[in-house]
Amino acid sequence: MAKLWFKFQRYFRRKPVRFFTFLVLYLTAGSLVFLHSGFVGQPAVSQSQASPAAGVPAEGAELPFLGDLHLGRGFRDAGEASSIARRYGPWFKGKDGSDRAKLGDYGGAWSRALKGRIVREKEEERAKYIGCYLDDTQSRALRGVSFFDYKKMTIFRCQDNCAERGYLYAGLEFGAECYCGHKIQATNVSEAECDMGCKGERGSVCGGANRLSVYRLQLAQESARRYGSAVFRGCFRRPDNLSLALPVTAAMPNMSVDKCVDLCTEKEYPLAALAGTACHCGFPTTRFPLHEREDEQLCAQKCSAEEFESCGTPRYFIVYQTQVQDNRCMDRRFLPAKSKQLVALASFPGAGNTWARHLIELATGVYTGSYYFDGSLYNKGFKGERDHWRSGRTICIKTHESGQKEIEAFDAAILLVRNPYKALMAEFNRKYGGHIGFAAHAHWKGKEWPEFVRNYAPWWATHTLDWLKFGKKVLVVHFEDLKQDLFVQLGRMVSLLGVAVREDRLLCVESQKDGNFKRSGLRKLEYDPYTADMQKVISAYIKMVDAALKGRNLTGVPNDYYPR
């Protein structure tokens, strides 16, 4: 065998032209075999699908849906399909109400060609491009929810997010910003002005500078335009000057919650107030701040068209927050001139620094900066991340540092303090699951958690003690107080920053307070991860910090810090 191989090799070495000819023929034959197997292969079908009625679409009929681009795969069983339908609602339903997700199993090159064709068909069915529109940060063209992603934004992602929330329009701007709305409140401009590519999709256009590429979402069912995510705010006394507090009023003899919410959503107002047989729409303002809730029994009058819902009375209103985004506090910019002071937003990791930055940016209209650089935060809209922390263009600087030299570099500081039990768990989740993710069960049960508590618990105490000792002009804000009384605590923070903010803007912040960095809370641990020894050590640190705060005539730690 070896002798034969040697003769074969020597033959081609003497005749290199024959060798290359043989190689070309071999590759050509292989390519033909591959193409033949791809194009003549047929999709695999079960016996139940083999009949013409069940498995072959009639002429002109819609081909079976092969899965959503966002999911990247087909669904294998009806159970999985139904769970996706529950997650995404009517957006994933067919025109006849059946699940699009009940799919066959397709393979080969024929399958890839078919998928490409169906993707194009579904894109046309999902949304229709209607043009390039002017957008203004002071008066948005689409006034529903919005979100940013400066790395992975695509047309589909924007459309999917808006459709999931029941909006009629989706618009993309600056290649990375997505806006939703129920109507367009802007003028159409030349298509040439929408000239920015999508950050996450080459070859696609995602608006321009202050220009929106707008799509009308072709929702599969009219019922998808329900506003079921309206948030109940409570029962409130009728404001003194009703026409100024709630400028839109409509009589509704057959009142229901849905009807009033639908009206206010269509009129682009974030508040819907039900008053018996009248529906009022407006914004939270100093005339109607929604701070003093009344006993819900005062509003307990049944809706005429909805037996099990309360629709308020002429004196006491039932108030819901619609999906319309309050844009009075959404504009943000860098400082026009370099700031004369560097203000730190200091906190132990996991104490809510990102959330506090979100609130400060909404309240002041100015970007916050960071001592570090976090690409994921920049991609989500925190544009101050890329600025050097000494640039002077941002309103304050996020920092977790606790050394004397680092602290003394700042002229003033907002020190955010959180319950160490909650802060440690939040930082552990961030470390192993990302900003809004969760650590895996194995991390909690493994060696990672005890080691993390051993290293980070002392830092929680020394961080606060160092800032109290070395910081200049330190304002202490407890995370728990900020959650409970945002209006007052945020007002204190803004005052330290030297920015005059109208109360109406702070009320706007209250309605947008969660932002995009709030964990869902759906994956809370079913057990307490803190052992008795851990609790003993942490309680000692809490007492140490409490004493330090009181020693400076400040409010001590909130009562819920201990005992556990």
Side-chain angles (χ1 to χ4, degrees), residues 338-396:
K338 186 173 181 178
S339 176
K340 295 180 180 179
Q341 64 171 357
L342 285 175
V343 182
L345 178 60
S347 74
F348 174 77
N353 199 302
T354 301
W355 180 55
R357 289 177 68 184
H358 165 74
L359 297 176
I360 290 171
E361 289 192 4
L362 293 185
T364 63
V366 181
Y367 289 113
T368 59
S370 178
Y371 195 81
Y372 323 98
F373 170 70
D374 188 327
S376 66
L377 292 181
Y378 176 82
N379 291 333
K380 299 299 181 183
F382 287 92
K383 293 185 179 179
E385 281 287 318
R386 278 194 174 176
D387 266 39
H388 188 275
W389 66 278
R390 285 185 176 274
S391 71
R393 298 204 308 158
T394 53
I395 194 70
C396 63

Short mmCIF file of all heavy atoms in Angstrom, two decimals, residues 338-396:
data_model
loop_
_atom_site.label_atom_id
_atom_site.label_comp_id
_atom_site.label_asym_id
_atom_site.label_seq_id
_atom_site.Cartn_x
_atom_site.Cartn_y
_atom_site.Cartn_z
N LYS A 338 -17.98 74.62 31.30
CA LYS A 338 -17.35 73.72 32.27
C LYS A 338 -17.78 74.07 33.69
O LYS A 338 -17.76 75.23 34.10
CB LYS A 338 -15.83 73.79 32.15
CG LYS A 338 -15.11 72.79 33.03
CD LYS A 338 -13.62 72.78 32.75
CE LYS A 338 -12.92 71.74 33.63
NZ LYS A 338 -11.46 71.66 33.37
N SER A 339 -18.18 73.05 34.43
CA SER A 339 -18.64 73.25 35.80
C SER A 339 -17.48 73.70 36.70
O SER A 339 -16.34 73.25 36.54
CB SER A 339 -19.25 71.95 36.34
OG SER A 339 -19.61 72.09 37.70
N LYS A 340 -17.79 74.55 37.64
CA LYS A 340 -16.76 75.06 38.56
C LYS A 340 -16.50 74.11 39.72
O LYS A 340 -15.52 74.29 40.46
CB LYS A 340 -17.18 76.43 39.09
CG LYS A 340 -17.27 77.50 38.02
CD LYS A 340 -17.69 78.84 38.60
CE LYS A 340 -17.77 79.91 37.52
NZ LYS A 340 -18.21 81.22 38.08
N GLN A 341 -17.37 73.13 39.91
CA GLN A 341 -17.17 72.19 41.01
C GLN A 341 -17.42 70.76 40.53
O GLN A 341 -18.23 70.52 39.64
CB GLN A 341 -18.09 72.51 42.19
CG GLN A 341 -19.57 72.37 41.90
CD GLN A 341 -20.42 72.48 43.16
OE1 GLN A 341 -19.91 72.62 44.27
NE2 GLN A 341 -21.73 72.40 43.00
N LEU A 342 -16.71 69.83 41.12
CA LEU A 342 -16.91 68.41 40.85
C LEU A 342 -17.70 67.82 42.00
O LEU A 342 -17.27 67.83 43.15
CB LEU A 342 -15.56 67.70 40.74
CG LEU A 342 -14.75 67.91 39.46
CD1 LEU A 342 -13.40 67.22 39.58
CD2 LEU A 342 -15.51 67.39 38.25
N VAL A 343 -18.89 67.31 41.66
CA VAL A 343 -19.76 66.72 42.67
C VAL A 343 -19.82 65.21 42.45
O VAL A 343 -20.11 64.74 41.35
CB VAL A 343 -21.19 67.30 42.59
CG1 VAL A 343 -22.07 66.70 43.69
CG2 VAL A 343 -21.15 68.82 42.72
N ALA A 344 -19.54 64.47 43.50
CA ALA A 344 -19.57 63.01 43.42
C ALA A 344 -20.96 62.48 43.75
O ALA A 344 -21.64 63.01 44.64
CB ALA A 344 -18.55 62.41 44.38
N LEU A 345 -21.37 61.46 43.02
CA LEU A 345 -22.52 60.66 43.42
C LEU A 345 -21.92 59.35 43.92
O LEU A 345 -21.65 58.44 43.16
CB LEU A 345 -23.47 60.43 42.25
CG LEU A 345 -24.69 59.55 42.54
CD1 LEU A 345 -25.55 60.16 43.64
CD2 LEU A 345 -25.53 59.33 41.28
N ALA A 346 -21.65 59.30 45.21
CA ALA A 346 -20.89 58.21 45.80
C ALA A 346 -21.80 57.18 46.43
O ALA A 346 -22.80 57.52 47.07
CB ALA A 346 -19.91 58.75 46.85
N SER A 347 -21.45 55.93 46.23
CA SER A 347 -22.22 54.85 46.85
C SER A 347 -21.40 53.57 46.86
O SER A 347 -20.48 53.41 46.06
CB SER A 347 -23.53 54.61 46.10
OG SER A 347 -23.29 53.95 44.87
N PHE A 348 -21.74 52.70 47.76
CA PHE A 348 -21.24 51.34 47.73
C PHE A 348 -21.89 50.64 46.53
O PHE A 348 -23.04 50.92 46.20
CB PHE A 348 -21.62 50.64 49.04
CG PHE A 348 -21.29 49.18 49.09
CD1 PHE A 348 -19.98 48.77 49.31
CD2 PHE A 348 -22.27 48.22 48.93
CE1 PHE A 348 -19.67 47.42 49.36
CE2 PHE A 348 -21.97 46.87 48.97
CZ PHE A 348 -20.66 46.46 49.18
N PRO A 349 -21.18 49.74 45.85
CA PRO A 349 -21.80 49.03 44.72
C PRO A 349 -23.08 48.32 45.16
O PRO A 349 -23.14 47.71 46.22
CB PRO A 349 -20.73 48.01 44.32
CG PRO A 349 -19.45 48.61 44.78
CD PRO A 349 -19.76 49.35 46.03
N GLY A 350 -24.12 48.42 44.32
CA GLY A 350 -25.40 47.78 44.64
C GLY A 350 -26.34 48.66 45.44
O GLY A 350 -27.42 48.22 45.84
N ALA A 351 -25.93 49.92 45.68
CA ALA A 351 -26.75 50.81 46.50
C ALA A 351 -27.70 51.67 45.68
O ALA A 351 -28.36 52.56 46.21
CB ALA A 351 -25.86 51.71 47.35
N GLY A 352 -27.79 51.44 44.36
CA GLY A 352 -28.75 52.16 43.54
C GLY A 352 -28.17 53.36 42.82
O GLY A 352 -28.91 54.29 42.48
N ASN A 353 -26.86 53.36 42.57
CA ASN A 353 -26.22 54.51 41.94
C ASN A 353 -26.75 54.75 40.53
O ASN A 353 -27.03 55.89 40.13
CB ASN A 353 -24.71 54.31 41.89
CG ASN A 353 -23.95 55.60 41.70
OD1 ASN A 353 -24.16 56.30 40.72
ND2 ASN A 353 -23.04 55.91 42.62
N THR A 354 -26.93 53.69 39.74
CA THR A 354 -27.43 53.84 38.37
C THR A 354 -28.84 54.41 38.37
O THR A 354 -29.18 55.27 37.56
CB THR A 354 -27.41 52.48 37.64
OG1 THR A 354 -26.07 51.99 37.62
CG2 THR A 354 -27.91 52.63 36.21
N TRP A 355 -29.67 53.94 39.29
CA TRP A 355 -31.04 54.46 39.40
C TRP A 355 -31.01 55.94 39.79
O TRP A 355 -31.76 56.75 39.25
CB TRP A 355 -31.82 53.64 40.43
CG TRP A 355 -33.24 54.11 40.61
CD1 TRP A 355 -34.18 54.26 39.65
CD2 TRP A 355 -33.86 54.51 41.84
NE1 TRP A 355 -35.36 54.71 40.19
CE2 TRP A 355 -35.19 54.87 41.54
CE3 TRP A 355 -33.42 54.57 43.16
CZ2 TRP A 355 -36.09 55.30 42.52
CZ3 TRP A 355 -34.31 54.99 44.14
CH2 TRP A 355 -35.63 55.35 43.81
N ALA A 356 -30.14 56.29 40.75
CA ALA A 356 -30.04 57.69 41.17
C ALA A 356 -29.58 58.57 40.01
O ALA A 356 -30.05 59.70 39.85
CB ALA A 356 -29.08 57.81 42.35
N ARG A 357 -28.66 58.07 39.19
CA ARG A 357 -28.23 58.83 38.01
C ARG A 357 -29.40 59.07 37.06
O ARG A 357 -29.55 60.17 36.50
CB ARG A 357 -27.13 58.08 37.28
CG ARG A 357 -25.80 58.03 37.99
CD ARG A 357 -24.79 57.20 37.22
NE ARG A 357 -24.41 57.85 35.96
CZ ARG A 357 -23.60 57.30 35.07
NH1 ARG A 357 -23.11 56.08 35.28
NH2 ARG A 357 -23.29 57.95 33.96
N HIS A 358 -30.20 58.05 36.85
CA HIS A 358 -31.39 58.18 36.00
C HIS A 358 -32.30 59.29 36.52
O HIS A 358 -32.76 60.15 35.75
CB HIS A 358 -32.12 56.84 35.97
CG HIS A 358 -33.51 56.90 35.45
ND1 HIS A 358 -33.81 57.06 34.10
CD2 HIS A 358 -34.71 56.83 36.09
CE1 HIS A 358 -35.12 57.10 33.95
NE2 HIS A 358 -35.69 56.95 35.13
N LEU A 359 -32.54 59.31 37.82
CA LEU A 359 -33.42 60.33 38.41
C LEU A 359 -32.82 61.72 38.27
O LEU A 359 -33.52 62.69 37.93
CB LEU A 359 -33.66 60.01 39.89
CG LEU A 359 -34.38 58.69 40.22
CD1 LEU A 359 -34.45 58.50 41.72
CD2 LEU A 359 -35.78 58.66 39.61
N ILE A 360 -31.52 61.84 38.52
CA ILE A 360 -30.86 63.15 38.44
C ILE A 360 -30.87 63.68 37.01
O ILE A 360 -31.11 64.88 36.78
CB ILE A 360 -29.42 63.05 38.98
CG1 ILE A 360 -29.45 62.85 40.50
CG2 ILE A 360 -28.62 64.30 38.64
CD1 ILE A 360 -28.09 62.52 41.10
N GLU A 361 -30.63 62.81 36.04
CA GLU A 361 -30.65 63.26 34.64
C GLU A 361 -32.03 63.73 34.23
O GLU A 361 -32.17 64.74 33.52
CB GLU A 361 -30.16 62.13 33.73
CG GLU A 361 -28.68 61.84 33.85
CD GLU A 361 -28.14 60.93 32.76
OE1 GLU A 361 -28.92 60.57 31.85
OE2 GLU A 361 -26.94 60.60 32.80
N LEU A 362 -33.09 63.02 34.67
CA LEU A 362 -34.44 63.47 34.34
C LEU A 362 -34.77 64.79 35.03
O LEU A 362 -35.40 65.67 34.45
CB LEU A 362 -35.46 62.40 34.76
CG LEU A 362 -35.45 61.07 34.00
CD1 LEU A 362 -36.60 60.20 34.49
CD2 LEU A 362 -35.57 61.28 32.50
N ALA A 363 -34.34 64.92 36.28
CA ALA A 363 -34.70 66.11 37.06
C ALA A 363 -33.97 67.36 36.58
O ALA A 363 -34.53 68.46 36.56
CB ALA A 363 -34.40 65.88 38.54
N THR A 364 -32.70 67.21 36.19
CA THR A 364 -31.89 68.38 35.82
C THR A 364 -31.82 68.60 34.31
O THR A 364 -31.53 69.71 33.86
CB THR A 364 -30.46 68.24 36.35
OG1 THR A 364 -29.83 67.09 35.73
CG2 THR A 364 -30.46 68.05 37.87
N GLY A 365 -32.04 67.54 33.52
CA GLY A 365 -31.88 67.64 32.08
C GLY A 365 -30.43 67.64 31.64
O GLY A 365 -30.12 67.97 30.49
N VAL A 366 -29.51 67.24 32.54
CA VAL A 366 -28.08 67.23 32.25
C VAL A 366 -27.54 65.82 32.48
O VAL A 366 -27.92 65.15 33.45
CB VAL A 366 -27.32 68.23 33.13
CG1 VAL A 366 -25.83 68.23 32.79
CG2 VAL A 366 -27.89 69.63 32.97
N TYR A 367 -26.63 65.37 31.62
CA TYR A 367 -26.05 64.04 31.76
C TYR A 367 -25.17 63.94 33.01
O TYR A 367 -24.55 64.93 33.42
CB TYR A 367 -25.20 63.69 30.53
CG TYR A 367 -26.01 63.42 29.30
CD1 TYR A 367 -25.94 64.28 28.20
CD2 TYR A 367 -26.86 62.32 29.22
CE1 TYR A 367 -26.68 64.04 27.06
CE2 TYR A 367 -27.61 62.08 28.07
CZ TYR A 367 -27.52 62.93 27.00
OH TYR A 367 -28.27 62.70 25.88
N THR A 368 -25.12 62.76 33.57
CA THR A 368 -24.20 62.46 34.67
C THR A 368 -22.97 61.76 34.11
O THR A 368 -23.03 61.09 33.07
CB THR A 368 -24.86 61.57 35.72
OG1 THR A 368 -25.28 60.34 35.09
CG2 THR A 368 -26.07 62.25 36.33
N GLY A 369 -21.85 61.88 34.81
CA GLY A 369 -20.62 61.24 34.38
C GLY A 369 -20.26 60.07 35.28
O GLY A 369 -21.02 59.68 36.17
N SER A 370 -19.08 59.51 35.05
CA SER A 370 -18.64 58.36 35.83
C SER A 370 -17.13 58.36 36.00
O SER A 370 -16.40 58.76 35.10
CB SER A 370 -19.08 57.06 35.16
OG SER A 370 -18.62 55.92 35.88
N TYR A 371 -16.69 57.90 37.14
CA TYR A 371 -15.27 57.74 37.44
C TYR A 371 -14.69 56.61 36.60
O TYR A 371 -13.49 56.50 36.42
CB TYR A 371 -15.12 57.44 38.93
CG TYR A 371 -13.71 57.60 39.48
CD1 TYR A 371 -13.21 58.86 39.81
CD2 TYR A 371 -12.91 56.49 39.68
CE1 TYR A 371 -11.93 59.00 40.32
CE2 TYR A 371 -11.62 56.62 40.19
CZ TYR A 371 -11.14 57.87 40.52
OH TYR A 371 -9.87 58.02 41.02
N TYR A 372 -15.57 55.75 36.10
CA TYR A 372 -15.18 54.57 35.31
C TYR A 372 -15.76 54.73 33.90
O TYR A 372 -16.25 55.78 33.54
CB TYR A 372 -15.71 53.30 35.97
CG TYR A 372 -15.66 53.35 37.47
CD1 TYR A 372 -16.79 53.69 38.23
CD2 TYR A 372 -14.47 53.10 38.16
CE1 TYR A 372 -16.74 53.77 39.60
CE2 TYR A 372 -14.41 53.18 39.54
CZ TYR A 372 -15.54 53.52 40.27
OH TYR A 372 -15.49 53.60 41.62
N PHE A 373 -15.71 53.66 33.13
CA PHE A 373 -16.43 53.62 31.86
C PHE A 373 -17.13 52.27 31.77
O PHE A 373 -16.49 51.23 31.80
CB PHE A 373 -15.52 53.80 30.65
CG PHE A 373 -16.23 53.53 29.34
CD1 PHE A 373 -17.20 54.39 28.88
CD2 PHE A 373 -15.95 52.38 28.61
CE1 PHE A 373 -17.88 54.14 27.69
CE2 PHE A 373 -16.62 52.11 27.42
CZ PHE A 373 -17.59 53.00 26.97
N ASP A 374 -18.46 52.32 31.64
CA ASP A 374 -19.26 51.11 31.51
C ASP A 374 -19.96 51.17 30.16
O ASP A 374 -20.89 51.95 29.97
CB ASP A 374 -20.29 51.03 32.65
CG ASP A 374 -21.02 49.70 32.69
OD1 ASP A 374 -21.24 49.11 31.61
OD2 ASP A 374 -21.39 49.25 33.79
N GLY A 375 -19.49 50.35 29.22
CA GLY A 375 -20.05 50.37 27.88
C GLY A 375 -21.52 50.04 27.83
O GLY A 375 -22.27 50.60 27.03
N SER A 376 -21.98 49.13 28.71
CA SER A 376 -23.39 48.75 28.69
C SER A 376 -24.27 49.92 29.11
O SER A 376 -25.37 50.11 28.59
CB SER A 376 -23.64 47.55 29.61
OG SER A 376 -23.40 47.88 30.97
N LEU A 377 -23.79 50.74 30.06
CA LEU A 377 -24.57 51.92 30.46
C LEU A 377 -24.58 52.97 29.36
O LEU A 377 -25.60 53.61 29.11
CB LEU A 377 -24.00 52.51 31.76
CG LEU A 377 -24.15 51.67 33.02
CD1 LEU A 377 -23.55 52.40 34.21
CD2 LEU A 377 -25.62 51.37 33.29
N TYR A 378 -23.44 53.15 28.70
CA TYR A 378 -23.40 54.10 27.59
C TYR A 378 -24.38 53.68 26.50
O TYR A 378 -25.11 54.51 25.94
CB TYR A 378 -21.99 54.19 27.01
CG TYR A 378 -21.90 55.09 25.80
CD1 TYR A 378 -21.80 56.48 25.95
CD2 TYR A 378 -21.97 54.57 24.51
CE1 TYR A 378 -21.75 57.31 24.84
CE2 TYR A 378 -21.92 55.39 23.40
CZ TYR A 378 -21.81 56.76 23.56
OH TYR A 378 -21.78 57.58 22.47
N ASN A 379 -24.39 52.40 26.19
CA ASN A 379 -25.28 51.90 25.14
C ASN A 379 -26.75 52.06 25.50
O ASN A 379 -27.60 52.08 24.61
CB ASN A 379 -24.98 50.42 24.86
CG ASN A 379 -23.63 50.22 24.21
OD1 ASN A 379 -23.12 51.11 23.54
ND2 ASN A 379 -23.02 49.06 24.43
N LYS A 380 -27.06 52.17 26.77
CA LYS A 380 -28.44 52.33 27.21
C LYS A 380 -28.83 53.80 27.39
O LYS A 380 -29.93 54.09 27.85
CB LYS A 380 -28.68 51.59 28.53
CG LYS A 380 -28.44 50.09 28.45
CD LYS A 380 -29.37 49.42 27.45
CE LYS A 380 -29.13 47.92 27.42
NZ LYS A 380 -29.96 47.24 26.40
N GLY A 381 -27.95 54.72 27.03
CA GLY A 381 -28.35 56.12 27.04
C GLY A 381 -27.61 57.03 28.01
O GLY A 381 -27.83 58.24 28.00
N PHE A 382 -26.72 56.47 28.85
CA PHE A 382 -25.95 57.32 29.76
C PHE A 382 -24.72 57.85 28.99
O PHE A 382 -23.62 57.33 29.09
CB PHE A 382 -25.51 56.52 30.99
CG PHE A 382 -26.63 56.22 31.95
CD1 PHE A 382 -27.35 55.04 31.86
CD2 PHE A 382 -26.98 57.12 32.95
CE1 PHE A 382 -28.38 54.76 32.73
CE2 PHE A 382 -28.01 56.85 33.82
CZ PHE A 382 -28.72 55.67 33.72
N LYS A 383 -24.93 58.91 28.25
CA LYS A 383 -23.91 59.40 27.33
C LYS A 383 -22.71 60.01 28.04
O LYS A 383 -21.64 60.16 27.45
CB LYS A 383 -24.51 60.42 26.36
CG LYS A 383 -25.53 59.80 25.41
CD LYS A 383 -26.02 60.81 24.39
CE LYS A 383 -27.02 60.18 23.41
NZ LYS A 383 -27.52 61.15 22.42
N GLY A 384 -22.88 60.38 29.31
CA GLY A 384 -21.76 60.93 30.06
C GLY A 384 -20.71 59.89 30.41
O GLY A 384 -19.62 60.25 30.89
N GLU A 385 -20.98 58.61 30.16
CA GLU A 385 -20.02 57.55 30.47
C GLU A 385 -18.70 57.75 29.73
O GLU A 385 -17.64 57.39 30.24
CB GLU A 385 -20.60 56.18 30.10
CG GLU A 385 -21.59 55.62 31.09
CD GLU A 385 -20.93 55.14 32.37
OE1 GLU A 385 -19.86 54.50 32.30
OE2 GLU A 385 -21.48 55.41 33.45
N ARG A 386 -18.75 58.28 28.52
CA ARG A 386 -17.54 58.40 27.71
C ARG A 386 -16.70 59.63 28.07
O ARG A 386 -15.55 59.73 27.65
CB ARG A 386 -17.90 58.43 26.23
CG ARG A 386 -18.13 57.06 25.64
CD ARG A 386 -18.16 57.10 24.13
NE ARG A 386 -18.24 55.77 23.55
CZ ARG A 386 -18.36 55.52 22.27
NH1 ARG A 386 -18.41 56.53 21.41
NH2 ARG A 386 -18.42 54.28 21.81
N ASP A 387 -17.27 60.57 28.78
CA ASP A 387 -16.52 61.76 29.16
C ASP A 387 -15.55 61.43 30.30
O ASP A 387 -15.87 60.65 31.19
CB ASP A 387 -17.49 62.86 29.62
CG ASP A 387 -17.84 63.79 28.49
OD1 ASP A 387 -18.02 63.29 27.36
OD2 ASP A 387 -17.96 65.00 28.72
N HIS A 388 -14.39 62.05 30.27
CA HIS A 388 -13.48 61.93 31.41
C HIS A 388 -14.17 62.55 32.62
O HIS A 388 -14.87 63.56 32.51
CB HIS A 388 -12.16 62.64 31.13
CG HIS A 388 -11.11 62.40 32.16
ND1 HIS A 388 -11.02 63.15 33.31
CD2 HIS A 388 -10.13 61.46 32.23
CE1 HIS A 388 -10.01 62.70 34.05
NE2 HIS A 388 -9.44 61.67 33.41
N TRP A 389 -13.97 61.96 33.77
CA TRP A 389 -14.73 62.41 34.94
C TRP A 389 -14.39 63.84 35.34
O TRP A 389 -15.16 64.50 36.04
CB TRP A 389 -14.52 61.45 36.10
CG TRP A 389 -13.13 61.38 36.66
CD1 TRP A 389 -12.08 60.66 36.16
CD2 TRP A 389 -12.64 62.04 37.82
NE1 TRP A 389 -10.96 60.83 36.94
CE2 TRP A 389 -11.28 61.67 37.98
CE3 TRP A 389 -13.20 62.90 38.76
CZ2 TRP A 389 -10.48 62.13 39.02
CZ3 TRP A 389 -12.41 63.36 39.80
CH2 TRP A 389 -11.07 62.99 39.93
N ARG A 390 -13.26 64.36 34.87
CA ARG A 390 -12.91 65.76 35.17
C ARG A 390 -13.28 66.72 34.03
O ARG A 390 -12.87 67.87 34.05
CB ARG A 390 -11.40 65.88 35.43
CG ARG A 390 -10.94 65.34 36.78
CD ARG A 390 -9.46 65.63 36.99
NE ARG A 390 -8.98 65.23 38.30
CZ ARG A 390 -9.04 66.00 39.39
NH1 ARG A 390 -9.58 67.20 39.31
NH2 ARG A 390 -8.58 65.57 40.54
N SER A 391 -14.04 66.27 33.07
CA SER A 391 -14.35 67.11 31.90
C SER A 391 -15.17 68.34 32.28
O SER A 391 -15.11 69.36 31.60
CB SER A 391 -15.11 66.29 30.86
OG SER A 391 -16.43 66.01 31.32
N GLY A 392 -15.95 68.26 33.33
CA GLY A 392 -16.78 69.40 33.74
C GLY A 392 -18.04 69.57 32.93
O GLY A 392 -18.76 70.56 33.10
N ARG A 393 -18.34 68.60 32.05
CA ARG A 393 -19.55 68.71 31.22
C ARG A 393 -20.76 68.01 31.83
O ARG A 393 -21.85 68.13 31.30
CB ARG A 393 -19.28 68.12 29.83
CG ARG A 393 -18.19 68.81 29.03
CD ARG A 393 -18.38 68.59 27.55
NE ARG A 393 -18.54 67.18 27.20
CZ ARG A 393 -19.11 66.75 26.09
NH1 ARG A 393 -19.61 67.62 25.22
NH2 ARG A 393 -19.19 65.46 25.82
N THR A 394 -20.55 67.26 32.90
CA THR A 394 -21.65 66.50 33.50
C THR A 394 -22.02 67.08 34.87
O THR A 394 -21.21 67.74 35.52
CB THR A 394 -21.26 65.02 33.64
OG1 THR A 394 -20.02 64.91 34.34
CG2 THR A 394 -21.12 64.37 32.27
N ILE A 395 -23.24 66.78 35.30
CA ILE A 395 -23.78 67.41 36.52
C ILE A 395 -23.19 66.80 37.79
O ILE A 395 -23.05 67.47 38.81
CB ILE A 395 -25.33 67.32 36.53
CG1 ILE A 395 -25.92 68.25 37.57
CG2 ILE A 395 -25.80 65.90 36.74
CD1 ILE A 395 -25.80 69.71 37.23
N CYS A 396 -22.84 65.52 37.76
CA CYS A 396 -22.20 64.86 38.89
C CYS A 396 -21.50 63.60 38.39
O CYS A 396 -21.71 63.17 37.26
CB CYS A 396 -23.20 64.52 40.00
SG CYS A 396 -24.49 63.35 39.53
#
